[in-house]
Amino acid sequence: PPTPYAAPLSEYGQPPTGEVGEWGGPLLPVLVLDRAATQKTSRVTVFFRYLLAIPHFVILYLVGIGEFFVQIATWFAALFTAKVPDGLYRFNAWVAGYSARVAGYLFLLTDKWPTIDAQQQYPIATRFPGPSRLNRAAVFFRFILIIPAALLSGIVGFGFGILSFFIWLIVLVLGRVPEPIFDSVARVLRYAIRFRAYSSMLTSAYPKGLYGAEPPVEQLPPPGEFTLEPIRYSRGSRNMMITFTVLGPLAIAGEIT
């Protein structure tokens, strides 16, 4: 049988309790991770992490040029047909998944070099619902509707940016990612994925789940090297998220100044 990494389950995996899309995935995109970095991480790759990620920055830049035109085609297709064509959907899902793997590597959630191929085993995986019928009015006003989520994502992202150096230093000294940091950073990444998925018409579900517990997601037990599981909820990770949110406006004010 296909593993959770094999197409199409590399992009569209097991659903949580509740509403699901046509391909069996949850309407709200899910991020699952291997937690090996909470036990041990390579200090050498942590120290040089940004340099090591440069090739992926170049790839994402080149892919982003094509994605811009694909997004325009996606918007028009969704507006006139109330559904994203399968080919456009798969491309957008691949870009979102690849971006998540690069961001997770950059944010120290894993030591493993990001894979371009979504079918290869990797300790960070995304799950999308697949093409489903969309509300044309919501598609037409998508870039207005997304503004509140964009503001929240920006605030939390700026707050995380302030603490990112200290997080990097903690991981470098300890040789592992403390669990509250791991789960809070994973929450920031997951919300960014959900924001991107909504703006790209990968889902009709509005971005949420930045704070607090969520409905349980089915465990994904791949037979390979990694054991993927959902983000854990803890008081420590919640406090970290609150800290990101408080520091975000201060960072934005500093940028404006």
Side-chain angles (χ1 to χ4, degrees), residues 156-225:
V156 173
F158 269 97
F160 168 69
I162 290 180
L163 294 181
S164 59
F165 171 77
F166 300 99
I167 291 174
W168 173 81
L169 192 60
I170 289 171
V171 175
L172 184 63
V173 172
L174 294 180
R176 63 180 180 87
V177 183
E179 293 203 5
I181 292 178
F182 184 93
D183 290 315
S184 59
V185 173
R187 285 180 181 275
V188 174
L189 176 59
R190 181 180 59 188
Y191 192 81
I193 294 168
R194 292 176 174 178
F195 171 80
R196 183 172 190 149
Y198 183 76
S199 62
S200 302
M201 266 71 75
L202 293 173
T203 180
S204 58
Y206 200 79
K208 61 180 180 180
L210 188 58
Y211 308 99
E214 296 184 74
V217 181
E218 288 188 30
Q219 187 77 10
L220 301 177
E225 178 182 355

Side-chain angles (χ1 to χ4, degrees), residues 75-83 133-146 198 201 203-204 206:
W75 185 82
F76 277 106
L79 183 63
F80 288 105
T81 67
K83 190 174 182 180
R133 186 166 182 81
L134 301 172
N135 184 301
R136 286 187 174 90
V139 171
F140 185 80
F141 293 106
R142 183 61 53 102
F143 296 105
I144 296 177
L145 295 173
I146 200 67
Y198 183 76
M201 266 71 75
T203 180
S204 58
Y206 200 79

Side-chain angles (χ1 to χ4, degrees), residues 40-246:
K40 184 180 180 180
T41 189
S42 168
R43 289 185 174 91
V44 175
T45 62
V46 167
F47 187 83
F48 294 105
R49 188 59 53 100
Y50 277 85
L51 291 176
L52 293 172
I54 288 177
H56 291 288
F57 295 156
V58 175
I59 295 173
L60 284 173
Y61 175 79
L62 297 175
V63 169
I65 297 174
E67 185 190 16
F68 172 78
F69 297 100
V70 171
Q71 291 286 2
I72 294 175
T74 299
W75 185 82
F76 277 106
L79 183 63
F80 288 105
T81 67
K83 190 174 182 180
V84 178
D86 186 79
L88 296 179
Y89 190 99
R90 286 186 176 275
F91 178 82
N92 289 330
W94 171 78
V95 174
Y98 175 53
S99 300
R101 293 191 292 275
V102 174
Y105 177 75
L106 190 65
F107 296 164
L108 310 179
L109 296 177
T110 179
D111 281 336
K112 187 171 177 61
W113 180 260
T115 61
I116 297 178
D117 186 356
Q119 297 185 37
Q120 293 182 14
Q121 294 185 10
Y122 195 74
I124 298 174
T126 49
R127 303 290 185 260
F128 299 103
S132 59
R133 186 166 182 81
L134 301 172
N135 184 301
R136 286 187 174 90
V139 171
F140 185 80
F141 293 106
R142 183 61 53 102
F143 296 105
I144 296 177
L145 295 173
I146 200 67
I147 290 176
L151 292 175
L152 179 57
S153 181
I155 288 173
V156 173
F158 269 97
F160 168 69
I162 290 180
L163 294 181
S164 59
F165 171 77
F166 300 99
I167 291 174
W168 173 81
L169 192 60
I170 289 171
V171 175
L172 184 63
V173 172
L174 294 180
R176 63 180 180 87
V177 183
E179 293 203 5
I181 292 178
F182 184 93
D183 290 315
S184 59
V185 173
R187 285 180 181 275
V188 174
L189 176 59
R190 181 180 59 188
Y191 192 81
I193 294 168
R194 292 176 174 178
F195 171 80
R196 183 172 190 149
Y198 183 76
S199 62
S200 302
M201 266 71 75
L202 293 173
T203 180
S204 58
Y206 200 79
K208 61 180 180 180
L210 188 58
Y211 308 99
E214 296 184 74
V217 181
E218 288 188 30
Q219 187 77 10
L220 301 177
E225 178 182 355
F226 307 108
T227 301
L228 302 182
E229 57 180 278
I231 300 167
R232 296 176 184 174
Y233 174 75
S234 66
R235 179 174 295 181
S237 64
R238 182 197 64 184
N239 292 340
M240 285 287 295
M241 293 304 305
I242 293 174
T243 303
F244 292 158
T245 307
V246 171

